[in-house]
Amino acid sequence: MRKLKINMYAGGLNIEGQGVGSNFFEQVSLVKKIDGLDISVNGKHPKDYDICHFHTVNPSFYFKFRKDVINVCYVHFIPDKDDGSLKMPGFMFGPYKWYVLRFYRKADEVIVVNPYYMKSLEEIGIPKDRITYIPNYVSNEEFHPMDKKGKLSARREFGLREDVFTVLGVGQTQTRKGVLDFAEVAKRNPDMQFVWAGGFSFGKITSGYSEIKALMDNPPANLRFLGIVPRAKMNEVFNAADMLFLPSYQELFPMTLLECINVELPFLVRDLDLYKDIFLSPYTVGHDNGEFAEIIKRLRDDEGYYEEVRKQSLAIRDFYSEGNVKKLWDGYYHRIYDKYPDKHRIK
């Protein structure tokens, strides 16, 4: 049986600390394990492939779409003035949004990592039968629980106290991630230690840069900012913590949560509609800083409650297992190949 030749296009892979890059490496690593696929990354000749899969919307990629190749586009976001990611002048946002949506519409097929955005894509003119939901995935070889000795060693490595309940936040230091709320909740729990892994991946154009930079330069006594941590060290960061707290105001599908559940930690998130589409079993939410602080306090003081919330992570983990997601990708690529016989490279 001839293997399908697939070319993965992605830009910005040298920018550390951003989820799209993490997703790219995880997805490519996963599909390379599928026997019926031959995977390349940023190949130079699109016509040599059966499927071109665009992970990012780089302008240079726009001109690599070909009529004789099946073009697939990953939708990681839909431009929104209020998403809190980047500071962008109003006059620039219109052209930026026009370009991104045009990029999506140009593809033969689009993939969303959260079904929350399927309706929005239909509204911009993409037919429902061209939109597919496939969840993100994180390898349990890279993210997994460490033994007690390993956890204590990780705390020492990152300068954390070994005997204090530790709350972890992960992500780019930008407004939409709720970094300022994370700091406020830390102030309300001075007898715990809070640590944030992540930094300004996009420098001074990051939304909220000045305010967050001031916080990072002068944080509460019980809050540490680790900056951007190499992905190879992130398993140790998670294992150094007792829980993950992600007070984001806007997300699509944070890889952070998949990393957390692989490490078998409990997590607490803001009550956002989009999570309801990706978590098919119970999970723990809060609505404001006061509630967040109380839930975290209860997780520290009530062993039974801590174990209950930790088991929620274990239940979610099963759906996002390697075997399940790999099967979805295998079926997807062969399905869309059969869907476009006029674009077959070898007739």
Side-chain angles (χ1 to χ4, degrees), residues 78-108:
I78 292 179
D80 188 331
K81 279 186 177 179
D82 301 318
D83 73 358
S85 298
L86 301 174
K87 289 189 297 185
M88 183 178 293
F91 73 90
M92 291 180 61
F93 180 77
Y96 164 72
K97 182 175 182 177
W98 174 86
Y99 165 74
V100 172
L101 298 186
R102 185 177 176 87
F103 194 104
Y104 294 161
R105 283 193 290 260
K106 192 174 184 182
D108 298 304

Side-chain angles (χ1 to χ4, degrees), residues 21 43 52 60 68-69 87 90 117 153 155 159 166 168 174 190 198 223 241 296 304:
C52 286
S60 61
D68 55 350
V69 173
K87 289 189 297 185
Y117 280 111
S153 175
R155 287 201 176 190
T166 303
L168 174 66
Q174 54 186 228
L223 169 58
I296 291 172

Side-chain angles (χ1 to χ4, degrees), residues 176-179 181-182 245-250 268-273 275 283-289 292:
R176 72 178 177 92
K177 291 290 185 179
V179 180
D181 298 85
F182 189 85
F245 170 38
L246 195 65
S248 300
Y249 286 90
Q250 192 272 346
L268 169 64
V269 293
R270 194 178 299 278
D271 189 14
L272 304 180
D273 286 342
Y275 292 136
Y283 56 99
T284 300
V285 303
H287 300 84
D288 55 45
N289 291 341
F292 289 142

Side-chain angles (χ1 to χ4, degrees), residues 135-319:
N136 281 337
Y137 154 81
V138 167
S139 168
N140 58 15
E141 295 176 4
E142 291 192 41
F143 289 88
H144 53 83
M146 299 168 67
D147 59 22
K148 186 175 181 179
K149 183 178 179 181
K151 290 176 181 288
L152 290 176
S153 175
R155 287 201 176 190
R156 286 193 290 270
E157 179 177 355
F158 295 108
L160 302 173
R161 291 178 57 184
E162 298 176 16
D163 58 345
V164 177
F165 190 83
T166 303
V167 181
L168 174 66
V170 177
Q172 297 178 48
T173 47
Q174 54 186 228
T175 303
R176 72 178 177 92
K177 291 290 185 179
V179 180
L180 300 177
D181 298 85
F182 189 85
E184 177 58 32
V185 173
K187 290 178 184 177
R188 298 186 184 207
N189 288 288
D191 52 349
M192 304 180 198
Q193 58 186 352
F194 287 67
V195 57
W196 187 279
F200 296 111
S201 296
F202 298 102
K204 293 183 179 181
I205 66 171
T206 302
S207 179
Y209 175 83
S210 297
E211 191 174 6
I212 296 172
K213 181 66 166 60
L215 168 66
M216 295 172 71
D217 290 342
N218 187 30
N222 64 331
L223 169 58
R224 289 200 60 204
F225 285 96
L226 299 180
I228 297 175
V229 178
R231 185 164 176 75
K233 301 293 292 182
M234 281 304 299
N235 187 56
E236 294 172 55
V237 172
F238 277 98
N239 275 278
D242 292 298
M243 65 168 292
L244 176 73
F245 170 38
L246 195 65
S248 300
Y249 286 90
Q250 192 272 346
E251 288 285 356
L252 177 49
F253 195 129
M255 296 293 284
T256 298
L257 291 175
L258 295 187
E259 294 160 357
C260 168
I261 64 178
N262 271 18
V263 179
E264 300 181 5
L265 290 179
F267 68 82
L268 169 64
V269 293
R270 194 178 299 278
D271 189 14
L272 304 180
D273 286 342
L274 61 95
Y275 292 136
K276 297 170 186 175
D277 291 318
I278 60 175
F279 295 141
L280 306 180
S281 56
Y283 56 99
T284 300
V285 303
H287 300 84
D288 55 45
N289 291 341
E291 190 174 3
F292 289 142
E294 288 303 314
I295 292 172
I296 291 172
K297 195 171 297 181
R298 185 181 173 191
L299 282 165
R300 181 196 60 181
D301 297 337
D302 186 336
E303 290 184 14
Y305 181 62
Y306 181 92
E307 186 60 18
E308 175 188 331
V309 178
R310 191 184 75 87
K311 285 181 177 178
Q312 292 175 354
S313 288
L314 301 184
I316 293 169
R317 181 189 60 183
D318 293 341
F319 177 73

